[in-house]
C-alpha cells in the first residue's frame, strides 16, 4: 500500500506553479466548464470581504476563471453578510435554501446546501476565516480539474503556522485524522491536509456524496470519494501557507469527536489496518513524506503476569 501512495504522490501531487493561469484559462475555454466558488461563513466579517474582493479582482475581472462567488451564511450575528455582499459576493442564507428540510448547525450542512444555489461544473470551497489570502488557493486547486479529465477532487496543501511557529497548525489533523486515515484507509495517507477547507471537485462527484453535517465533512468526503472514483481521481496542490483563526482546545476536541464519529460510520463497511503513519515535512522540492511505525503491541494487565502474582503472594 505504501508503494501505491508513493506512486500517487509522484503523479497526483502538484505545486500551484505547475499550471500557469494562462494554461488554466485556455483549458476552461476549451472545455466550456464553469467554476463556482463557495465560502461557508459564520461570523467572519473581519476576513470574508478581503477574500471575496481578491477572488473577484484576480479571477473574475483580471482573468475570467471564476463564474460566481457565493457566500453561504449559516446564521452570523455580525456583519458577515453585508461585508461579503459589498465585496461582490452573492450572499445566501442557509435557512433559505431547501426550507422544507430544517437546517442543522454545522459546516457540512452549509456545503451540502450550497450545491442547490450554485451552478458551476466545478465547485471550489474556501474557508471564510483566511488571512493574507491569495487567489492561488482557488486557481491552484481548480487547475487540475480543468486541465485533467481524470481528476475529480483536488485538496489544497500548505504550511499551517501556529503562534508564529511553522508547521504546528492542523492539530486535529495530526492527532485524529491522519492516524485514522493511515490505519483504516491507507490509500489516503498521502494527503498533506486531509481536513483542509480549501478544495474543489466536480459537481458530478459532489452530488453523489453524502455530507456529514459538521466538521466530519472533509474526512467523510475523502473516504467516500475514494470508494466512488478511486485514488487516481483524487489529487492535491501545494499553495504555500494558510493563515487563519485557530480554535481553542475544547473546540478542537469537538472537531475531533465529529471526525471520529464520521470515520466510525464508514468503518462499518469494513476496514484495513496499517501499523505505520505517514507525515509530511517541507523540503527543498516541496512536501516530503516521512513514514513511522505505530506501536501496535499491548501488554496484558499486570495481574496476569506470573512474576507479579508471585510477588504479591510473597
Amino acid at each position: 500500500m505504501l508503494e501505491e501512495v508513493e506512486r500517487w504522490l509522484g503523479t497526483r501531487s502538484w505545486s500551484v506553479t505547475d499550471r500557469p493561469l494562462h494554461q488554466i484559462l485556455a483549458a476552461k475555454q476549451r472545455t466550456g466548464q464553469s467554476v463556482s466558488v463557495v465560502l461557508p461563513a459564520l461570523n467572519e466579517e473581519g476576513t470574508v470581504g478581503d477574500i471575496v474582493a481578491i477572488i473577484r479582482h484576480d479571477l473574475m475581472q483580471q482573468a475570467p476563471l471564476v463564474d460566481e462567488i457565493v457566500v453561504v451564511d449559516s446564521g452570523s450575528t455580525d456583519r458577515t453578510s453585508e461585508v461579503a455582499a459589498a465585496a461582490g459576493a452573492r450572499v445566501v442564507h442557509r435557512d433559505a435554501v431547501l426550507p422544507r428540510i430544517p437546517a442543522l448547525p454545522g459546516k457540512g450542512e452549509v456545503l451540502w446546501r450550497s450545491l442547490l444555489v450554485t451552478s458551476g461544473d466545478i465547485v471550489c470551497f474556501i474557508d471564510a476565516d483566511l488571512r493574507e489570502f491569495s487567489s492561488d488557493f482557488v486557481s491552484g486547486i481548480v487547475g487540475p480539474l480543468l486541465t485533467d479529465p481524470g481528476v475529480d477532487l483536488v485538496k489544497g496543501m500548505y504550511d499551517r503556522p501556529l503562534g508564529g511557529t511553522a508547521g504546528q497548525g492542523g492539530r486535529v489533523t495530526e492527532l485524529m485524522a491522519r492516524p485514522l486515515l493511515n490505519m483504516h484507509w491507507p490509500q489516503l495517507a498521502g494527503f498533506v491536509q486531509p481536513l483542509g477547507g480549501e478544495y474543489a471537485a466536480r459537481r458530478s462527484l459532489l452530488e453523489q456524496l453524502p455530507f456529514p453535517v459538521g466538521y466530519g465533512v472533509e474526512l467523510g468526503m475523502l473516504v467516500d470519494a475514494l470508494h466512488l472514483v478511486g485514488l487516481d481521481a483524487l489529487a492535491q496542490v501545494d499553495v504555500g501557507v494558510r493563515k487563519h483563526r485557530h480554535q481553542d482546545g475544547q473546540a478542537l476536541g469537538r472537531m475531533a469527536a465529529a471526525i471520529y464519529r464520521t470515520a466510525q460510520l464508514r468503518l462499518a463497511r469494513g476496514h484495513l489496518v496499517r501499523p505505520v503513519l505517514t507525515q509530511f515535512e517541507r523540503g527543498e522540492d516541496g512536501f516530503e513524506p516521512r513514514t513511522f511505525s505505530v506501536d501496535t503491541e499491548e501488554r496484558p494487565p499486570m495481574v496476569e503476569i506470573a512474576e507479579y502474582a508471585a510477588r504479591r503472594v510473597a
Side-chain angles (χ1 to χ4, degrees), residues 170-185:
R171 291 160 288 174
V172 175
T173 292
E174 299 302 329
L175 297 176
M176 175 61 73
R178 199 177 307 286
L180 281 173
L181 292 175
N182 274 261
M183 294 177 186
H184 299 298
W185 296 281

Side-chain angles (χ1 to χ4, degrees), residues 108-109 111-112 115 125 206-207 209-214 217 221 266:
E109 176 86 353
L111 300 184
W112 177 65
L115 297 180
F125 299 117
L206 293 172
E207 64 190 11
L209 298 177
F211 277 61
V213 298
V217 63
M221 190 176 294
R266 283 152 180 77

